[in-house]
Amino acid sequence: MVQDHAGCLHGAENKHQCTEGSLTRSLGCLLSRAVIKRLPFTSQNHAAGQEARCGRVLRLCLVLSTVCSSVPILTIVWFRSFFSGLFTPEQAVIESASVRILCILLFEPLCSLYEIPAGALRGRGHSLYPAVSTMLGTCAFRIVWICTVFRSCPTLPVLYHAFPLSWVMTILLVSLGFPLLRRREEKRG
């Protein structure tokens, strides 16, 4: 839906999406490894009753993932014209890609702050809550954003701000899962 609206705004200049998208996909493959590796570890230690170890590894993964993702992302942000120029010589496309990089890619490290805790919750046997939280925080929030805020101010930066804001919403929703699900487990006894 966001991509469709971006296409309506810039028509032929949508080449910037391919330019920035290539950079984002490459980084995404690297960053998702932390989430994938975290799930079996949490499951094994949760089953063994090692809750303190799960919490310590969760915090360590959050810090390392955020720091490690920030280094290449900030490099791309600082040299965005150079990196965008690798994909196209057109200045208008480079400028549009730069807007997208500043509005979306700059905040990409936030994704670790909901993806890793969601993986930890799944590793503890709670798969529904992180799935619903992620759908509400990312999908539903973006739809509401487009139908309200973007409709009143239809510019590309306003459209792109839906991404980092939806990530913050998802972080809050997933984070609420820890105390809510802990209380539910305590009641079950």
Side-chain angles (χ1 to χ4, degrees):
M1 190 170 193
V2 173
Q3 298 303 326
D4 291 342
H5 282 80
C8 293
L9 287 175
H10 279 278
E13 292 178 12
N14 272 350
K15 296 176 190 173
H16 74 277
Q17 291 178 358
C18 295
T19 301
E20 192 273 336
S22 298
L23 297 171
T24 303
R25 277 190 301 280
S26 299
L27 284 173
C29 289
L30 294 171
L31 301 179
S32 66
R33 304 281 186 245
V35 177
I36 293 167
K37 299 290 184 195
R38 169 101 177 82
L39 188 57
F41 180 87
T42 303
S43 299
Q44 292 166 355
N45 283 285
H46 177 67
Q50 298 291 326
E51 296 300 323
R53 185 185 243 180
C54 292
R56 187 171 53 245
V57 170
L58 172 63
R59 289 186 296 278
L60 183 62
C61 285
L62 287 170
V63 170
L64 288 175
S65 180
T66 304
V67 170
C68 291
S69 64
S70 295
V71 172
I73 287 172
L74 290 176
T75 302
I76 291 172
V77 168
W78 284 324
F79 300 106
R80 61 190 171 274
S81 294
F82 168 76
F83 285 112
S84 297
L86 293 174
F87 296 93
T88 182
E90 299 175 40
Q91 193 57 38
V93 175
I94 292 171
E95 288 174 15
S96 292
S98 293
V99 169
R100 185 172 167 147
I101 288 170
L102 288 173
C103 293
I104 298 173
L105 188 62
L106 178 61
F107 300 98
E108 188 78 25
L110 289 176
C111 291
S112 297
L113 301 179
Y114 77 82
E115 289 174 347
I116 293 173
L121 288 171
R122 285 192 300 274
R124 292 175 178 214
H126 304 287
S127 58
L128 183 61
Y129 183 85
V132 171
S133 298
T134 302
M135 286 175 36
L136 289 174
T138 55
C139 301
F141 179 86
R142 290 176 190 173
I143 291 169
V144 170
W145 180 268
I146 288 169
C147 293
T148 58
V149 177
F150 177 70
R151 182 172 284 171
S152 68
C153 186
T155 65
L156 203 53
V158 168
L159 179 64
Y160 287 159
H161 286 122
F163 284 92
L165 293 173
S166 69
W167 296 332
V168 170
M169 178 65 72
T170 306
I171 290 167
L172 295 173
L173 290 173
V174 170
S175 296
L176 284 173
F178 285 96
L180 292 174
L181 295 171
R182 188 176 303 126
R183 264 189 260 149
R184 193 170 105 193
E185 287 175 353
E186 289 171 357
K187 285 182 181 178
R188 286 184 186 170

